Amino acid sequence: MLFEKPKHHHHRVSEFQAVVLGGYGSSNRLYPISEEDNLPKALLPVGNKPVISYTLEWLEKAGINDIIVIIQATGNAPQKLSAYLRTHPGNVHCQVVSVDEDDETADALRAIKDKIDRDFIVVPCDLITELNPKELFDAHRVSGSTFSALFYEPGLTESASKDEDLLPYVGIDPTHNALVYKALRSENEDFSIRMSLLNKFPRVRIHTNLQDAHFYIFKKWVLDIVVDKEYITSISKDLIPMLVKCQYQKKLVEREEITKYSSTYDDLLANALSLSTTQSVDMEEGSLKEDPIHPSFKSPVKTYVHVYRGGFCGRGNTTASYSELNRYATKQGATITRVPSSAEVAPRTQVGNDSVVGEYTKIDERSSVKKSCVGSHCIIGKNVKIANSVIMDHVVIGDNVKIDGCIICNNAKIQEKASLKDCDVAGGYIVDKDAQLKGEKLVAFREAI
């Protein structure tokens, strides 16, 4: 463990612990913006705040203040993250744990097993949502599920972006909101469903418009399974499919000895029902429906899926969806400081009411900033046009430059009269004057030492 933010004196034990994945698996999809010479994924700015700060605020709102942040040990990323968390204003207790670069998500859980002592949540550091956390946690408590998962309907921009894969097939049993099927989708393939699934869940609704938020709430005993079974390396690819199948595959439950794990913890709901003075037979019958083929088989695994529609929910795991998070954070009506008093914006320069400018940034005259985030300590010349872009900190932009649909990382320099459209510019990169570039990833290749 690299760093631990001290506990507050009035620290209250929360019902769940949270494990925040500080940049996993998708770093190559964010190339070159989450490279070593820029920032780790968790610290990428969204509306000029690190993306992880939204996750921490959301967890705090849910009453969860015991948080473990896992980050892969590449370069000095863990130190950068620890330094930020020391200054994070929220009332949460954070531990940063760095794990091996090759570790997948379930491997990472195995590495921190001694730090988890109760039911826990796994959440990516780049998930931003308007969903009220209490709604989700209440639904999880009522369902009494082994795990609960969050799925959402992506916005038009996110689902239409060119670098997104097809959304998966997601099968939900509408009577209990159980997650009973999930499979990757490809253009030319049919999908098949086992009879054992349909015997247990005769009604299944298959969705093709839902995105997996990779947000899960787990019972503590699920961690014991992960610790013992080392072939489970990924949460979404190995652990979730196995638990989903355990709901209806008797042989799998027996082979993996799932009942042994689940029975090590008292079921609080069952305990409460046994002590109840009022009859609640209907509740019992509804929750433990018998499998007509194996009438004696009652699966120890129960799932719940929460589908969020109607509000914003998105992840920043590709350059397109990361740009979308920034547009959301700075949209008109957002309660943020658009131009801080320390910034110097020349009188004849326009900063739109859908944009934000960072501290101590200077923008010369006749320039315009629309639908964009400009970071701190930037120097922007005369007659510069910036639209639909994310400009990070300490960026220098010369006169008469046009930037549209770009992500420009820390310490980059764009020299005068350059024109960039849909480009990603790596940290410290210098774009030559008069350059006309479209759809490029601009990275300075260093000599291997």
Side-chain angles (χ1 to χ4, degrees):
M1 186 176 64
L2 289 150
F3 150 75
E4 193 163 332
K5 190 171 179 177
K7 290 182 178 173
H8 296 266
H9 293 303
H10 54 281
H11 182 69
R12 187 174 58 83
V13 175
S14 51
E15 180 185 359
F16 302 99
Q17 278 174 294
V19 176
V20 178
L21 301 175
Y24 259 84
S26 62
S27 302
N28 54 348
R29 297 169 83 185
L30 282 167
Y31 180 82
I33 63 174
S34 65
E35 293 303 287
E36 211 175 308
D37 51 10
N38 193 45
L39 289 167
K41 178 176 166 183
L43 296 183
L44 289 173
V46 170
N48 285 352
K49 275 168 47 176
V51 67
I52 194 172
S53 68
Y54 295 88
T55 307
L56 298 178
E57 285 163 15
W58 192 86
L59 289 169
E60 192 178 349
K61 197 168 135 190
I64 294 158
N65 44 30
D66 191 348
I67 299 171
I68 301 164
V69 184
I70 302 180
I71 186 163
Q72 287 167 316
T74 47
N76 60 358
Q79 288 78 6
K80 284 180 178 172
L81 184 56
S82 299
Y84 165 70
L85 289 171
R86 279 189 198 97
T87 64
H88 176 73
N91 184 17
V92 289
H93 169 235
C94 283
Q95 302 176 56
V96 176
V97 179
S98 79
V99 294
D100 196 274
E101 202 180 331
D102 300 323
D103 276 3
E104 287 257 12
T105 48
D107 298 327
L109 286 183
R110 212 173 282 121
I112 59 160
K113 64 179 190 293
D114 297 335
K115 297 182 189 303
I116 297 175
D117 56 17
R118 65 201 99 135
D119 290 0
F120 62 100
I121 295 152
V122 177
V123 58
C125 66
D126 59 346
L127 178 68
I128 296 181
T129 178
E130 290 171 348
L131 169 66
N132 179 348
K134 292 190 169 57
E135 204 181 295
L136 177 56
F137 289 104
D138 286 350
H140 169 77
R141 290 182 193 104
V142 169
S143 73
S145 60
T146 310
F147 80 85
S148 294
L150 173 64
F151 282 75
Y152 63 95
E153 266 185 7
L156 291 171
T157 38
E158 190 185 340
S159 50
S161 67
K162 57 188 177 300
D163 54 6
E164 277 296 321
D165 304 321
L166 277 173
L167 294 175
Y169 290 118
V170 180
I172 298 173
D173 164 41
T175 47
H176 298 96
N177 284 333
L179 179 64
V180 298
Y181 183 82
K182 188 184 168 209
L184 293 174
R185 205 164 118 227
S186 64
E187 290 286 8
N188 51 3
E189 245 179 65
D190 299 336
F191 70 94
S192 56
I193 282 188
R194 279 179 174 239
M195 281 307 296
S196 56
L197 190 162
L198 293 173
N199 288 330
K200 180 78 188 275
F201 301 103
R203 289 179 61 205
V204 178
R205 186 167 290 154
I206 302 287
H207 300 261
T208 54
N209 62 341
L210 296 179
Q211 183 71 277
D212 187 350
H214 292 271
F215 173 103
Y216 308 109
I217 310 173
F218 289 109
K219 286 257 193 281
K220 164 76 170 67
W221 59 263
V222 174
L223 183 64
D224 302 340
I225 294 177
V226 173
V227 169
D228 285 355
K229 300 178 190 302
E230 294 202 354
Y231 60 83
I232 297 175
T233 58
S234 159
I235 294 172
S236 62
K237 294 193 191 90
D238 303 324
L239 179 61
I240 297 298
M242 185 187 89
L243 291 173
V244 164
K245 286 173 189 161
C246 281
Q247 293 174 107
Y248 57 85
Q249 288 186 23
K250 186 179 182 212
K251 285 191 171 125
L252 180 64
V253 170
E254 288 167 353
R255 190 178 76 226
E256 302 295 345
E257 300 178 298
I258 302 298
T259 311
K260 177 183 87 176
Y261 295 97
S262 65
S263 60
T264 52
Y265 295 86
D266 283 332
D267 185 340
L268 292 176
L269 178 65
N271 200 18
L273 286 171
S274 70
L275 298 169
S276 170
T277 52
T278 53
Q279 289 285 307
S280 54
V281 178
D282 55 333
M283 186 174 173
E284 273 293 272
E285 282 174 356
S287 60
L288 295 169
K289 225 181 213 152
E290 289 192 346
D291 184 332
I293 307 299
H294 302 290
S296 60
F297 173 54
K298 287 192 174 77
S299 173
V301 174
K302 194 173 174 200
T303 66
Y304 169 74
V305 61
H306 195 87
V307 178
Y308 181 55
R309 296 182 173 93
F312 183 83
C313 191
R315 289 191 57 200
N317 52 351
T318 65
T319 48
S321 59
Y322 168 68
S323 298
E324 186 56 33
L325 289 187
N326 274 281
R327 273 193 286 280
Y328 166 73
T330 56
K331 68 175 197 258
Q332 292 184 20
T335 51
I336 51 173
T337 306
R338 300 279 174 192
V339 181
S341 53
S342 62
E344 293 177 36
V345 177
R348 287 162 65 197
T349 278
Q350 291 177 313
V351 175
N353 61 356
D354 46 15
S355 299
V356 63
V357 171
E359 301 275 358
Y360 303 105
T361 283
K362 295 181 180 175
I363 307 181
D364 217 328
E365 57 189 26
R366 295 194 313 282
S367 292
S368 72
V369 179
K370 293 175 182 166
K371 287 191 179 173
S372 296
C373 299
V374 178
S376 304
H377 303 281
C378 294
I379 298 168
I380 295 172
K382 295 182 176 66
N383 199 28
V384 172
K385 303 279 181 275
I386 299 172
N388 301 306
S389 295
V390 180
I391 316 284
M392 296 188 196
D393 298 344
H394 300 281
V395 172
V396 177
I397 299 176
D399 296 346
N400 300 300
V401 166
K402 286 191 176 63
I403 294 171
D404 184 5
C406 297
I407 299 171
I408 296 177
C409 295
N410 291 343
N411 304 303
K413 287 188 174 56
I414 316 292
Q415 297 184 338
E416 59 262 30
K417 292 186 180 167
S419 171
L420 303 180
K421 172 120 175 80
D422 301 331
C423 291
D424 299 330
V425 180
Y429 188 88
I430 298 168
V431 175
D432 295 336
K433 68 178 205 175
D434 298 318
Q436 306 280 317
L437 298 165
K438 188 175 179 184
E440 302 272 352
K441 290 190 186 293
L442 304 169
V443 184
F445 287 100
R446 292 181 293 277
E447 292 293 319
I449 296 165

